[in-house]
Amino acid sequence: MARGNIRGPVEPFRAPEAPELAPVYLVCGDEDFLIDEAVRALLDAAVPPDLRGFNLDVLQGAEADMRDVLARASSFPMAGDRRAVVLRDAEKLGAKDLELLAGYTEHPSPSTVMILTAAKPDMRRKAFAAVKKAGGVVECKSLGEAQIPSWILRRFKLRDRTIDPEACRLLSGLVGRGLRELDQEIEKLVIYAGERMLISPDDVSAVVGVSRQYNIFELQRAIAAGNMAKAEEILGRMLEAGNGAPYFIVMLSAFFATVWKMHDWRRRGLPDETIAREMKRERWMIADHLTALGRYSPYQVERALALLLTADERSKSGGDEAVVLQTLLVEIMAEAAGVS
Amino acid sequence: MKFTVSSSLLQRTLGKLGGVIQTKSTTPILEHFLVEIVNNLLTATATDMAIWMKVTMDVRGEEDGHITVPAKRFMDTLRSLPETDIEFSADTTTNRITIRTTMGEYNMTGDHHSAFPVLPEVAAGERFELEGGVLRRVIQKTTFAVSQDDLRPAMNGVLLQARNNKLRAVATDGHRLVRYDVVTKQPAGLERDVIVPVKTLQAIGRSLDDEAATVSLSQTHVRLQFSSWEVVSRLIDEQYPNYESVIPPENDKLLTANREALIQTIRRVGLYASATTHQVRFDIAANELRVAAQDVDFGWDAKEKMPCTFSDTVFMIGFNSAYLLDLLTHAEGENVTFKFSAPTRAGIIVPEEVSGTEDLLMLVMPVRLNV
């Protein structure tokens, strides 16, 4: 009987009623926020909160002794009807532990709900395959861009609030597709809005604009688009978050090296789809590279690579990292803008 | 600052701080003792920021003062000295410390006393006296059953409930539970329950004789004062799980056996248990208890039988042998009685002989048979 279920695009995972719970679940995927949500739903169905002190064990795959995990799973609940054992990062289990786990999945304890979580489990492994066969796999894949707005709406609805469609677009545009980050921003917005039911674009600008975390890809996007103000803002935030010069230099060097190669392919008349294939990526995945291709000439790309090399030397010779990187940004982007 | 004292006496006194002092701390000052001299009284304090332990002893003081001392180097020096008088002097401006003996001198650098964390205030709120031996028994009977799981902070300590003249201590790790009641001579009426971290109790247990203790409580800390030392510890600010709800009220199947013989049987048979579950099986009949274990992966098995009395006809139940041994070795008396209701429900262990002022209940969860 399939007792796990596959989540719809934005529907939250709903655990079966207690008597229908499978003895072992594998909650897996690349969206850890949804994994946590599914684990919570399973625990809510399995063990009442007031009995969790006695009947809930949470262990980490990388550290746990599988014999200890199975001993806990084989013990009857101290109170109530079920014990729950959560084993996080189960893909980090060694071969021997997976073998022991496979043995357990063949004869699981009926009074225990074992919940395994994993980002990318190898489903060929006997232990995971057995869970899949028993219908205990809950997939938590990251949401596509088109699914994000309805997910945001649902999260606001859970908090008895709603969001203006423009504000919703702005929020997803600013924060991106990370559900945990989105949820944190939604929480902040609800607190910021106070009694107001509708979240406006101004609310989003006021709350999210000043608090979000950026990543290197967003910096690449700003550089590719020639958006100096944005690039400087992102660089500043990333430096505040503790990213060091070597990280920026390595990542930006790789970015411009790819753009340099793309110039060669473009010169040979290859269409974008073929270039993407050469790079072993989907077309949409090279959008920022294509933008940079249009903005930075082959000479400017070579010049950017040389500037990166100089910045590397400066940062390693005791230069202030922030100054070195800010100078680098200005030099690279001024070249493309024709500013001298 | 300057004082003279016997090396072995000083070593014995400072040794009490061993359970608290940090050896590799990210905060280097926690690797130091704070040493203070006022007249002829030496006070030494160690802390890991959760527990503060302070010891005092008489010395021949020549100059008052206070300084922090690197604990490991100082203790290693004391340990390697023969019984002799040592002269401890410190320049509290440069923090230079010199230890002189008849054999030579040893120099080290301490730190200014102000760098040492301040002992938390435990305001005079709730307070009660525990006569000698009570605290030692509480520690002996409960700390072994405390959960080691950091994700269950409430269960990382021993619950203390003091009502009138009865002190109750409870410890559980979700697989076994110990409830120890003791009648105290002095009333110890606490308006609330407190959870004392197991590390605090273990640190106290290492140094505790049958001394009386004065227990004071603030909202966040507990202070235990003994004749020549004291401990201040943070309390665990969590809700302890409702342990009463897991103690079955009607376990009507009573098994009584010789405790020591049962321990030996479980130890021998347990050697053949699965390393995964440590499972031993009890097959109980009216006058005979069969204890069996097997590890199907390796083809090992063992079984023994021993005499017992059983109030029912036949009954079969499985236990984790490690948990069972822990409980049985912490029980006392010649015989022990198990109270069962069903093979899937908690078994209760009641030692046959406890003193008139004590009551000990131990609970152990069975495990699934044939796994």
Side-chain angles (χ1 to χ4, degrees):
Chain A
M1 179 167 56
R3 284 173 283 194
N5 58 11
I6 306 298
R7 215 173 14 79
V10 288
E11 281 303 306
F13 168 75
R14 284 184 210 289
E17 295 290 315
E20 292 297 311
L21 281 168
V24 187
Y25 283 95
L26 172 62
V27 185
C28 56
D30 56 358
E31 182 45 80
D32 60 351
F33 184 85
L34 294 179
I35 288 181
D36 287 350
E37 199 174 45
V39 170
R40 259 197 308 276
L42 286 166
L43 287 178
D44 285 345
V47 184
D50 58 328
L51 294 181
R52 287 186 192 165
F54 295 116
N55 290 335
L56 171 62
D57 290 291
V58 182
L59 302 129
Q60 297 291 331
E63 301 157 8
D65 174 354
M66 184 47 77
R67 294 179 192 282
D68 176 46
V69 175
L70 298 185
R72 290 172 194 239
S74 299
S75 185
F76 289 108
M78 204 158 179
D81 299 324
R82 271 175 198 76
R83 183 177 281 282
V85 176
V86 178
L87 181 60
R88 294 197 173 273
D89 298 331
E91 77 268 38
K92 291 182 182 162
L93 292 171
K96 212 166 187 179
D97 284 344
L98 280 169
E99 215 171 282
L100 286 169
L101 180 61
Y104 178 82
T105 56
E106 282 171 20
H107 304 286
S109 171
S111 58
T112 297
V113 175
M114 181 182 276
I115 304 166
L116 312 167
T117 73
K120 284 182 188 171
D122 181 351
M123 296 308 289
R124 294 167 302 177
R125 293 285 189 177
K126 208 170 152 189
F128 300 141
V131 181
K132 188 176 182 184
K133 197 174 166 193
V137 172
V138 181
E139 286 189 70
C140 297
K141 288 182 185 165
S142 56
L143 302 185
E145 212 147 299
Q147 296 169 308
I148 295 292
S150 53
W151 186 87
I152 291 174
L153 281 173
R154 182 167 65 78
R155 297 304 293 182
F156 274 108
K157 204 174 166 192
L158 278 175
R159 293 167 167 96
D160 294 325
R161 297 288 197 285
T162 186
I163 182 167
D164 172 275
E166 182 52 37
C168 187
R169 270 193 294 277
L170 185 61
L171 178 61
S172 73
L174 278 171
V175 180
R177 289 194 291 147
L179 300 190
R180 195 170 302 284
E181 291 75 23
L182 274 169
D183 199 60
Q184 282 164 0
E185 298 304 334
I186 289 167
E187 186 65 45
K188 284 186 215 163
L189 279 164
V190 169
I191 294 167
Y192 179 77
E195 300 286 298
R196 275 187 293 118
M197 300 303 288
L198 181 70
I199 307 297
S200 68
D202 287 346
D203 294 333
V204 175
S205 302
V207 173
V208 182
V210 294
S211 61
R212 64 166 309 209
Q213 297 282 312
Y214 288 103
N215 61 40
I216 192 72
F217 303 107
E218 288 161 297
L219 178 61
Q220 288 172 1
R221 187 170 303 147
I223 294 171
N227 188 339
M228 177 77 86
K230 189 77 185 167
E232 281 186 332
E233 186 199 341
I234 295 172
L235 176 68
R237 291 278 172 78
M238 288 184 72
L239 283 167
E240 277 170 22
N243 294 285
Y247 175 66
F248 289 99
I249 291 168
V250 166
M251 295 303 285
L252 291 177
S253 298
F255 178 75
F256 277 108
T258 305
V259 176
W260 188 79
K261 250 188 276 176
M262 289 165 77
H263 268 300
D264 184 47
W265 287 322
R266 176 66 63 81
R267 192 175 46 78
R268 281 154 44 194
L270 298 187
D272 293 348
E273 284 69 22
T274 314
I275 290 176
R277 252 201 317 280
E278 288 285 336
M279 292 171 68
K280 297 188 172 55
R281 294 186 196 170
E282 296 293 328
R283 165 76 172 74
W284 61 268
M285 291 167 78
I286 61 165
D288 294 336
H289 295 81
L290 288 169
T291 309
L293 193 63
R295 175 169 299 275
Y296 296 86
S297 68
Y299 167 75
Q300 286 165 339
V301 173
E302 282 174 22
R303 174 92 180 118
L305 288 165
L307 287 168
L308 280 157
L309 194 62
T310 309
D312 189 34
E313 284 162 5
R314 279 186 199 158
S315 71
K316 286 174 181 165
S317 317
D320 180 283
E321 287 199 343
V323 174
V324 169
L325 291 168
Q326 276 155 2
T327 310
L328 171 71
L329 268 193
V330 171
E331 286 176 337
I332 290 176
M333 296 178 76
E335 284 275 348
V339 181
S340 56
Chain B
M1 124 181 228
K2 195 169 179 181
F3 65 90
T4 305
V5 67
S6 144
S7 62
S8 58
L9 273 180
L10 184 60
Q11 185 197 332
R12 206 171 313 138
T13 303
L14 296 181
K16 287 188 172 177
L17 305 177
V20 178
I21 197 79
Q22 300 286 290
T23 47
K24 283 179 186 167
S25 174
T26 49
T27 312
I29 197 69
L30 302 184
E31 297 172 18
H32 287 219
F33 298 128
L34 173 65
V35 176
E36 297 167 281
I37 291 288
V38 177
N39 298 325
N40 289 321
L41 188 71
L42 175 145
T43 305
T45 310
T47 181
D48 63 1
M49 298 302 286
I51 310 169
W52 279 257
M53 191 181 274
K54 191 189 261 193
V55 293
T56 56
M57 70 180 293
D58 292 326
V59 296
R60 294 191 295 281
E62 287 179 44
E63 189 185 342
D64 291 354
H66 34 203
I67 193 165
T68 79
V69 182
K72 186 174 184 310
R73 184 155 304 267
F74 191 43
M75 288 304 285
D76 285 350
T77 307
L78 291 178
R79 266 191 287 270
S80 59
L81 284 172
E83 166 55 37
T84 182
D85 272 0
I86 65 161
E87 181 195 275
F88 179 106
S89 59
D91 180 336
T92 50
T93 320
T94 61
N95 299 325
R96 195 77 181 145
I97 297 164
T98 300
I99 300 161
R100 282 195 189 85
T101 71
T102 51
M103 292 165 286
E105 68 173 49
Y106 315 91
N107 297 297
M108 62 183 101
T109 305
D111 210 333
H112 194 260
H113 69 91
S114 61
F116 199 80
V118 178
L119 189 77
E121 276 291 318
V122 181
E126 292 177 278
R127 179 187 166 111
F128 60 92
E129 305 288 328
L130 280 180
E131 62 263 28
V134 168
L135 190 60
R136 187 176 52 78
R137 295 278 289 167
V138 164
I139 293 169
Q140 272 175 0
K141 294 294 168 197
T142 57
T143 48
F144 74 96
V146 167
S147 172
Q148 305 296 318
D149 186 349
D150 292 341
L151 295 171
R152 292 166 156 172
M155 286 154 64
N156 291 161
V158 173
L159 174 74
L160 293 181
Q161 298 177 308
R163 304 283 186 269
N164 302 320
N165 282 61
K166 194 167 90 174
L167 176 69
R168 169 169 288 182
V170 181
T172 180
D173 64 359
H175 298 272
R176 58 205 164 149
L177 180 144
V178 177
R179 189 189 69 190
Y180 175 69
D181 289 340
V182 60
V183 175
T184 56
K185 286 183 186 149
Q186 301 280 331
L190 283 185
E191 284 170 13
R192 63 199 170 103
D193 300 342
V194 293
I195 309 171
V196 182
V198 70
K199 195 185 167 197
T200 304
L201 294 173
Q202 285 166 338
I204 293 170
R206 270 191 283 271
S207 307
L208 189 63
D209 305 319
D210 278 347
E211 297 172 73
T214 302
V215 184
S216 317
L217 289 161
S218 72
Q219 201 57 36
T220 51
H221 288 81
V222 61
R223 169 187 283 150
L224 295 112
Q225 287 169 286
F226 305 92
S227 55
S228 64
W229 57 294
E230 70 173 86
V231 175
V232 174
S233 165
R234 270 193 204 143
L235 293 168
I236 297 177
D237 184 19
E238 294 282 337
Q239 182 71 37
Y240 204 76
N242 180 9
Y243 70 90
E244 297 279 14
S245 69
V246 304
I247 301 172
E250 290 171 7
N251 277 15
D252 56 348
K253 298 175 175 54
L254 306 185
L255 161 76
T256 302
N258 180 279
R259 188 176 65 88
E260 189 54 39
L262 182 56
I263 289 172
Q264 297 308 328
T265 293
I266 294 169
R267 265 199 193 125
R268 283 188 295 271
V269 174
L271 296 172
Y272 292 79
S274 154
T276 304
T277 61
H278 303 286
Q279 184 194 103
V280 290
R281 194 180 69 226
F282 279 18
D283 282 299
I284 314 164
N287 297 312
E288 190 174 84
L289 167 64
R290 288 170 185 265
V291 181
Q294 64 171 344
D295 187 332
V296 288
D297 292 340
F298 293 95
W300 296 336
D301 68 275
K303 51 181 178 282
E304 279 191 28
K305 55 186 176 184
M306 61 179 289
C308 72
T309 58
F310 189 48
S311 66
D312 212 55
T313 48
V314 288
F315 187 70
M316 193 191 289
I317 193 165
F319 289 109
N320 179 317
S321 59
Y323 292 156
L324 213 48
L325 282 173
D326 250 357
L327 293 170
L328 288 170
T329 49
H330 282 88
E332 284 167 16
E334 190 181 348
N335 292 322
V336 66
T337 298
F338 285 78
K339 297 179 177 179
F340 302 120
S341 63
T344 59
R345 294 290 165 199
I348 289 176
I349 300 173
V350 185
E352 199 177 55
E353 291 161 28
V354 282
S355 78
T357 58
E358 291 180 314
D359 183 34
L360 180 64
L361 177 142
M362 296 168 154
L363 178 150
V364 60
M365 287 312 300
V367 293
R368 198 164 50 112
L369 286 166
N370 302 323
V371 178

